[in-house]
Amino acid sequence: VNALQYDAEGNLRHLLTLEGMPRARIESLLDRAEALLPHAHGGTGLRSALAGLALCTLFFETSTRTRCSFQLAAQRLGMDVLNFDAGTASLKKGESELDTLNTLAAMGVRAFVVRHARDGAVAELAAGALPGTVLVNGGDGRSNHPTQGLLDMLALRRRLGRDFSVLRVGIVGDVRHSRVARSDIHALTALGCREVRLCGPASLLPGEGEFPGIGTSEDLDATLEGLDAVIMLRLQRERMEQGLVPSLEDYFRRYGLSRERLARLPGHACVLHPGPINRGVEIESTVADGPQSLILEQVACGLPVRMAVLQTLLATSRGPAG
Ligand code: ASP
C-alpha cells in the first residue's frame, strides 16, 4: 500500500492509510487543515484553488459525514463534484468497479473518494486507476479511514494541545470491526501519544498481536482511569457475525459511556465518537451533547482536513488523467 500511496519522490499520490505515515507528514497535513479552518466554514476565498478539477464520491457503502464533507470541501476549493450512486449505476449491468472508476476518470474526474465494505478494495482500485487519478480511502471494511484519523487528531489537538506525548487516550467498544480505531491508532502512534488503551468485550477486541505494545482490557472503569480523551465506537453490526454482543442493554451497562462514568475522568478530559452515534447503546445522550463532547467539533474539523488532503494530492499529482 505504501508503494502505491507515495510517488518516487515520496509525495502523497493517494491517501489510502495512515499506517506507517511519518509524524512530520501527519503534522503538516494537520497544520494545513488548521490554516484552512477559516476558509472551510463560510469563506469564499479559495474558490479558484482547484477550479476546473472534478471530484467524484464513489461510495459502495453508506455514508453521511464523509461524503457530505468531501463534497463541501471540494466545492469550497472550486471543484466540480459528482456523487456516484452505486445502487442505480451500470454496476447493476455487470460493469466492474474499476471500469466504472476509469470511465469517470476518462470524463476528466481527477479525484475519487471511495468507500467500500471490503478490506483493501480501495488500494486495489488505486492500483488500476488511470495515471494522474488520485484516490482517497473514505473507509474500506474494517481496515482504514485515514481522513477520520486525521480529523480526530485535529479535534484532539485543538482541545488538548499539540503535544501528544503527554496524552492518554482510550478507544472503547467495537475495536475489532472499526476502521476508525485502526486509523486513530496509526495516527496516535505516529504522533507519539503517551499511552493508547483499547477496551471492549473480548469478542470485539482486536486479534492478539495486531497492536503490539498497546494494552487491551475488558474493564471499562479501569480503562477510563486518568484518560485525557476517550474515543467511543459504534457497534459495527454490518461487519459482525451474529451473537457477538448478548444484548444492547447489557452492552450499555458494561461499555456505555454514562454520565457517572464520565464524572470519574479528569475535568479536562474529552469524549470523541466518529458517528453515527447510537444514543443509549455506546454513549448516553447527555454525554454526547455535553461540554466534554467533541463529536460536532470532529465533524467541523472534517471539512478543513478534507480540503487539505485534496489540495495536497492534487498539487502533487501529475497532469490530467489519460
Ligand atoms: N462513520 C464511521 C465509518 O464509516 C464509523 C462508523 O460507521 O461507525 O467507519
Side-chain angles (χ1 to χ4, degrees):
V1 170
N2 277 326
L4 265 174
Q5 176 153 284
Y6 302 101
D7 67 15
E9 283 92 54
N11 299 309
L12 258 194
R13 186 167 52 179
H14 304 289
L15 179 59
L16 303 172
T17 184
L18 299 180
E19 189 167 14
M21 189 177 279
R23 175 183 189 147
R25 189 181 298 274
I26 293 183
E27 282 178 342
S28 83
L29 283 165
L30 297 179
D31 291 344
R32 190 166 198 170
E34 200 147 22
L36 285 166
L37 253 170
H39 300 282
H41 295 277
T44 53
L46 288 171
R47 294 271 185 201
S48 59
L50 297 176
L53 299 180
L55 171 101
C56 179
T57 60
L58 190 55
F59 279 46
F60 301 101
E61 242 196 7
T62 57
S63 169
T64 300
R65 281 146 288 269
T66 305
R67 185 170 193 144
C68 292
S69 76
F70 259 111
Q71 186 174 348
L72 257 184
Q75 287 168 339
R76 292 271 140 99
L77 294 168
M79 298 182 80
D80 300 315
V81 181
L82 296 176
N83 286 310
F84 176 88
D85 181 355
T88 56
S90 291
L91 286 163
K92 295 269 180 224
K93 300 183 187 168
E95 185 163 52
S96 77
E97 291 166 359
L98 182 59
D99 285 336
T100 302
L101 185 142
N102 279 334
T103 296
L104 291 158
M107 292 176 199
V109 173
R110 284 284 304 286
F112 292 87
V113 184
V114 186
R115 170 167 290 186
H116 206 289
R118 189 163 53 79
D119 299 284
V122 183
E124 277 170 30
L125 288 171
L130 288 179
T133 307
V134 306
L135 270 74
V136 180
N137 186 350
D140 66 319
R142 56 174 83 180
S143 295
N144 291 284
H145 193 349
T147 57
Q148 180 77 44
L150 291 170
L151 72 89
D152 287 349
M153 297 309 113
L154 185 58
L156 270 175
R157 192 171 102 157
R158 286 173 56 77
R159 177 65 69 101
L160 297 176
R162 302 168 71 98
D163 184 4
F164 281 77
S165 74
V166 298
L167 298 185
R168 292 189 164 99
V169 179
I171 303 181
V172 176
D174 184 4
V175 183
R176 175 172 296 188
H177 300 100
S178 174
R179 53 198 176 206
V180 174
R182 289 187 173 73
S183 284
D184 282 341
I185 293 168
H186 299 150
L188 288 165
T189 308
L191 293 172
C193 185
R194 175 172 179 180
E195 190 185 350
V196 180
R197 300 177 193 162
L198 309 179
C199 177
S203 57
L204 301 180
L205 284 171
E208 216 162 292
E210 185 181 350
F211 298 111
I214 292 186
T216 58
S217 167
E218 291 182 61
D219 180 343
L220 179 56
D221 294 304
T223 300
L224 291 177
E225 214 151 286
L227 287 185
D228 302 290
V230 54
I231 302 172
M232 302 303 297
L233 301 171
R234 181 177 67 89
L235 290 173
Q236 310 259 308
R237 276 179 281 182
E238 70 275 31
R239 285 181 238 296
M240 265 182 212
E241 312 96 65
Q242 294 300 307
L244 287 184
V245 180
S247 80
L248 296 183
E249 292 71 30
D250 179 65
Y251 183 82
F252 181 75
R253 204 170 35 75
R254 291 190 62 198
Y255 295 104
L257 191 59
S258 61
R259 233 174 330 167
E260 295 74 43
R261 282 193 165 119
L262 182 63
R264 284 189 234 126
L265 285 180
H268 69 270
C270 53
V271 179
L272 293 87
H273 190 306
I277 58 174
N278 285 313
R279 294 172 182 264
V281 178
E282 68 269 0
I283 190 165
E284 194 173 312
S285 258
T286 48
V287 173
D289 301 330
Q292 283 164 279
S293 168
L294 288 187
I295 297 173
L296 292 179
E297 175 71 17
Q298 288 169 268
V299 176
C301 284
L303 203 49
V305 159
R306 287 164 176 140
M307 290 171 75
V309 166
L310 291 174
Q311 281 204 314
T312 303
L313 290 173
L314 289 164
T316 55
S317 78
R318 338 210 154 275

mmCIF file of all heavy atoms in Angstrom, residues 68 82-83 118 248 253:
data_model
loop_
_atom_site.group_PDB
_atom_site.id
_atom_site.type_symbol
_atom_site.label_atom_id
_atom_site.label_comp_id
_atom_site.label_asym_id
_atom_site.label_seq_id
_atom_site.Cartn_x
_atom_site.Cartn_y
_atom_site.Cartn_z
ATOM 1 N N CYS A 68 -20.610 13.936 2.571
ATOM 2 C CA CYS A 68 -21.045 15.336 2.512
ATOM 3 C C CYS A 68 -19.887 16.287 2.765
ATOM 4 O O CYS A 68 -19.795 17.337 2.141
ATOM 5 C CB CYS A 68 -22.171 15.597 3.508
ATOM 6 S SG CYS A 68 -23.684 14.741 3.049
ATOM 7 N N LEU A 82 -19.154 15.192 -8.486
ATOM 8 C CA LEU A 82 -20.141 14.186 -8.884
ATOM 9 C C LEU A 82 -20.344 13.231 -7.716
ATOM 10 O O LEU A 82 -19.367 12.830 -7.080
ATOM 11 C CB LEU A 82 -19.609 13.349 -10.052
ATOM 12 C CG LEU A 82 -19.341 14.031 -11.378
ATOM 13 C CD1 LEU A 82 -18.735 13.011 -12.345
ATOM 14 C CD2 LEU A 82 -20.641 14.586 -11.945
ATOM 15 N N ASN A 83 -21.576 12.870 -7.445
ATOM 16 C CA ASN A 83 -21.846 11.843 -6.442
ATOM 17 C C ASN A 83 -22.338 10.603 -7.158
ATOM 18 O O ASN A 83 -23.399 10.622 -7.778
ATOM 19 C CB ASN A 83 -22.914 12.326 -5.459
ATOM 20 C CG ASN A 83 -22.344 13.353 -4.515
ATOM 21 O OD1 ASN A 83 -21.303 13.134 -3.920
ATOM 22 N ND2 ASN A 83 -23.012 14.487 -4.408
ATOM 23 N N ARG A 118 -15.211 -3.907 1.554
ATOM 24 C CA ARG A 118 -14.155 -4.936 1.566
ATOM 25 C C ARG A 118 -12.789 -4.330 1.911
ATOM 26 O O ARG A 118 -12.384 -3.322 1.334
ATOM 27 C CB ARG A 118 -14.106 -5.611 0.186
ATOM 28 C CG ARG A 118 -13.215 -6.841 0.127
ATOM 29 C CD ARG A 118 -13.541 -7.680 -1.108
ATOM 30 N NE ARG A 118 -13.497 -6.889 -2.345
ATOM 31 C CZ ARG A 118 -12.389 -6.561 -2.973
ATOM 32 N NH1 ARG A 118 -11.211 -6.902 -2.519
ATOM 33 N NH2 ARG A 118 -12.439 -5.846 -4.096
ATOM 34 N N LEU A 248 -28.226 -5.199 23.867
ATOM 35 C CA LEU A 248 -27.771 -3.811 23.854
ATOM 36 C C LEU A 248 -27.788 -3.212 25.261
ATOM 37 O O LEU A 248 -26.950 -2.386 25.612
ATOM 38 C CB LEU A 248 -28.625 -2.983 22.889
ATOM 39 C CG LEU A 248 -28.527 -3.408 21.416
ATOM 40 C CD1 LEU A 248 -29.345 -2.488 20.523
ATOM 41 C CD2 LEU A 248 -27.064 -3.435 20.936
ATOM 42 N N ARG A 253 -24.607 -1.235 29.832
ATOM 43 C CA ARG A 253 -24.246 -1.330 31.246
ATOM 44 C C ARG A 253 -22.729 -1.547 31.410
ATOM 45 O O ARG A 253 -22.099 -0.929 32.252
ATOM 46 C CB ARG A 253 -25.021 -2.494 31.886
ATOM 47 C CG ARG A 253 -25.208 -2.387 33.373
ATOM 48 C CD ARG A 253 -26.182 -3.444 33.904
ATOM 49 N NE ARG A 253 -26.116 -4.733 33.215
ATOM 50 C CZ ARG A 253 -25.144 -5.641 33.379
ATOM 51 N NH1 ARG A 253 -24.159 -5.415 34.211
ATOM 52 N NH2 ARG A 253 -25.176 -6.780 32.708
#
